[in-house]
Amino acid sequence: MEAKLYVVGTPIGNLGDLSLRAAEILSSVDFIAAEDTRVTVKLLNHLGIKKPMVSYHEHNKVSRHDIIADRILSGESCALVTDAGMPAISDPGEDLVRYCYERGVKIESVPGPSALITALAISGMPSGRFCFEGFLTVNKPGRNEHLDSLINETRTMIFYEAPHKLAATLRDMLKKFGNREIALVKELTKLHESCERTTLSAAAAKYEDGSAKGEFVIIVKGAETAEQSMEWTAESALKLAKKFIGEGMSPSIAAKEAATITGIRKNEIYKMLVE
């Protein structure tokens, strides 16, 4: 097998999503650089593969760069994998790829699942233009600066978030962005996969008790342009409220959420709903 760094996408939940080519590469390379060898060995056991592994993660990456690059340049082949999804996307593998280019190492893609693209595809949110923002930092000044920079972003925004941080993130987003439409996608390709279409205010209220479980992808509708903000009518506000009811909201809450988004009076929307 040619001496290269193979950037290999792995399943984000369902092991059946691993491609035939990815399985072939993992079985053929000389060694594997894995974010967490304990996670990767489960995948390899599922495939009946035994391979030498080198751990490569955020806390040891600098010390591993030369080790991995030197082995490839000496004639060995290496597969780079992360715990789930495509390496180098919100992942320290980005630094290894860059370093290998600097050292003249050949690199080849072996694409696979990506949580952000999969979540966007099933969210029903605008996908013509979007931006990926990854995880928000827990550092409050940095977090505020990040969110402030996105207040006027008109593209659909995609974030990753852990369940124990979801409540705080939704509160901060509501404060910065106002009450926007969002999709909360969790447990992709797993048994309890779900996509919840809602608003920031409704989601913040629902999860304020810290009850969230599962890894989340948060998809937030971008800011409206001046032209878009003038398009709302009573009829379109009614349509939006009916959509919220179809997603499980009561007529009163649906009218309130639609009023916040459209600027049409809540009482007017509610009256049209019950007539």
Side-chain angles (χ1 to χ4, degrees):
M1 189 171 197
E2 188 173 357
K4 291 181 180 179
L5 178 70
Y6 295 87
V7 181
V8 182
T10 56
I12 56 178
N14 192 318
L15 295 180
D17 292 336
L18 186 77
S19 72
L20 292 174
R21 180 169 169 240
E24 180 182 355
I25 293 293
L26 291 175
S27 67
S28 302
V29 292
D30 294 303
F31 70 104
I32 296 171
E35 180 181 11
D36 188 331
T37 57
R38 297 167 298 180
V39 172
T40 301
V41 76
K42 294 177 182 179
L43 175 62
L44 297 180
N45 287 341
H46 174 75
L47 298 170
I49 297 172
K50 291 186 177 181
K51 285 289 171 182
M53 285 190 282
V54 173
S55 68
Y56 178 86
H57 51 73
E58 185 64 34
H59 304 294
N60 72 357
K61 61 185 181 182
V62 175
S63 66
R64 293 290 195 265
H65 285 163
D66 279 326
I67 294 172
I68 294 170
D70 286 347
R71 290 181 65 173
I72 298 172
L73 289 170
S74 70
E76 293 187 79
S77 54
C78 174
L80 170 66
V81 298
T82 187
D83 288 350
M86 277 301 292
I89 306 299
S90 196
D91 173 80
E94 172 188 356
D95 296 321
L96 179 60
V97 170
R98 183 184 304 110
Y99 184 78
C100 283
Y101 274 122
E102 292 172 356
R103 290 286 306 274
V105 171
K106 292 183 179 180
I107 298 172
E108 185 172 318
S109 65
V110 186
S114 171
L116 73 100
I117 297 299
T118 305
L120 181 61
I122 67 169
S123 71
M125 299 288 278
S127 61
R129 298 183 67 205
F130 62 90
C131 56
F132 175 57
E133 298 298 325
F135 288 96
L136 291 172
T137 178
V138 294
N139 175 271
K140 198 160 187 66
R143 187 183 185 88
N144 286 332
E145 182 179 353
H146 189 166
L147 291 174
D148 284 340
S149 72
L150 296 171
I151 288 175
N152 296 315
E153 174 58 67
T154 58
R155 295 173 294 180
T156 299
M157 297 174 286
I158 305 174
F159 301 83
Y160 287 163
E161 194 51 279
H164 64 284
K165 298 177 183 175
L166 182 67
T169 293
L170 292 173
R171 286 196 302 269
D172 289 345
M173 287 182 172
L174 178 61
K175 181 179 178 180
K176 297 291 186 180
F177 299 152
N179 194 24
R180 300 210 194 154
E181 289 183 72
I182 67 168
L184 291 175
V185 185
K186 69 174 183 177
E187 297 295 273
L188 280 166
T189 77
K190 300 176 184 176
L191 180 62
H192 299 294
E193 174 185 299
S194 68
C195 177
E196 182 180 1
R197 289 288 304 272
T198 182
T199 62
L200 276 172
S201 65
K206 178 177 179 179
Y207 293 105
E208 65 181 351
D209 61 356
S211 62
K213 295 181 180 180
E215 298 299 319
F216 284 82
V217 181
I218 307 173
I219 304 179
V220 183
K221 189 174 183 180
E224 291 187 346
T225 63
E227 293 79 8
Q228 289 173 324
S229 65
M230 296 173 61
E231 291 177 357
W232 289 109
T233 63
E235 289 72 21
S236 59
L238 174 63
K239 184 176 180 181
L240 179 61
K242 287 181 176 179
K243 180 174 76 69
F244 288 150
I245 290 174
E247 293 170 359
M249 291 186 188
S250 68
S252 177
I253 296 298
K256 179 181 177 182
E257 296 297 327
T260 303
I261 292 171
T262 66
I264 305 298
R265 292 175 60 239
K266 173 190 171 183
N267 290 345
E268 183 178 352
I269 299 172
Y270 183 78
K271 182 179 178 181
M272 291 188 292
L273 280 174
V274 298
E275 284 180 348

